[in-house]
Amino acid sequence: SNPSADTATLTEGADPGSTTDFTTTPITATLGEYGGYTDISKFLDLSAMSGTREEMVKGLAHKAALTIDTLCQTQALQDATNVNDEGVAMSADAIRKGVAELLNNDAMPHPSTPGGQFFCFVGSVEQCYDAMGEGSPTWFQVKDTQVSGASVTPFQGTVPTAAVYNCILKISTNIQINTGAAPDDEYGYLLGKDAFGVSSLDSDILSPRIIV
């Protein structure tokens, strides 16, 4: 919790009458083990085209990343209570309203963003491209270098022009979808400091090991 301001006047040289206490909310969870394997023959490894093993490793690493991403969404983030329903299409203005809500609650930018100075929105492909197409630019407008640059840079990581309303946008192909809604709801996440991704284990869970 953020401390409140000190408004009481002190006598010159006197100690404050009370301490500034910080409160924390501990988060606990049961550790789980997950994994998979790919069964290939030594003959395939020796006779396949150059780069075959590397491509398999890339595929397994992608699977490991999707596993972690899925577990984070389904087990850690699905209980989120601050939800803004933007209707049929995500928009850049929705990012603006989300950032304003975070700032109104004294949230700080996420430390994993460039320089730790931005908030971060993680959305589905549809959400991000809906925001990109907000205003429905025509073909000749898209060909304009300024319009093209403004449409593309938020998704290319060019800082600081990539920021939209002080927020970096990231596309994820593994966003949780509520298929019971009509149309299906996709849950993107707008993250600030201490909201998500700030705890760690002794090992680096984002660099899974692949053993041959």
Side-chain angles (χ1 to χ4, degrees):
S1 64
N2 290 323
S4 58
D6 291 317
T7 57
T9 302
L10 299 177
T11 303
E12 181 73 22
D15 292 331
S18 60
T19 62
T20 299
D21 297 324
F22 292 88
T23 58
T24 59
T25 303
I27 303 297
T28 59
T30 302
L31 292 177
E33 183 175 344
Y34 306 87
Y37 69 94
T38 298
D39 194 5
I40 63 173
S41 68
K42 293 181 180 179
F43 180 77
L44 174 62
D45 195 26
L46 293 172
S47 60
M49 292 178 61
S50 176
T52 298
R53 178 191 287 188
E54 287 76 7
E55 289 301 317
M56 289 184 174
V57 169
K58 289 180 182 179
L60 291 174
H62 182 70
K63 176 187 177 184
L66 286 179
T67 299
I68 296 171
D69 197 16
T70 300
L71 293 171
C72 288
Q73 291 191 48
T74 58
Q75 296 185 13
L77 295 178
Q78 64 182 359
D79 294 329
T81 56
N82 290 44
V83 178
N84 296 327
D85 190 348
E86 294 304 321
V88 297
M90 188 66 184
S91 65
D93 193 54
I95 302 293
R96 177 189 64 82
K97 290 186 290 185
V99 170
E101 185 174 349
L102 289 177
L103 289 174
N104 194 48
N105 285 279
D106 296 324
M108 300 294 289
H110 199 285
S112 295
T113 59
Q117 58 182 326
F118 302 99
F119 296 100
C120 184
F121 174 76
V122 181
S124 69
V125 175
E126 181 178 354
Q127 285 177 316
C128 291
Y129 274 79
D130 279 347
M132 181 187 293
E134 185 179 10
S136 300
T138 60
W139 177 254
F140 84 91
Q141 289 173 323
V142 172
K143 290 173 63 178
D144 181 86
T145 55
Q146 291 183 331
V147 175
S148 177
S151 298
V152 174
T153 53
F155 305 93
Q156 289 186 332
T158 306
V159 181
T161 58
V164 176
Y165 296 116
N166 203 33
C167 180
I168 297 293
L169 275 65
K170 296 294 182 182
I171 297 177
S172 172
T173 57
N174 199 32
I175 288 293
Q176 182 182 356
I177 299 177
N178 178 11
T179 56
D184 295 342
D185 283 337
E186 297 178 333
Y187 296 101
Y189 298 96
L190 183 55
L191 306 175
K193 182 182 179 183
D194 295 338
F196 186 66
V198 294
S199 60
S200 63
L201 303 177
D202 289 340
S203 60
D204 188 354
I205 59 174
L206 296 184
S207 297
R209 288 197 307 155
I210 297 177
I211 303 172
V212 179

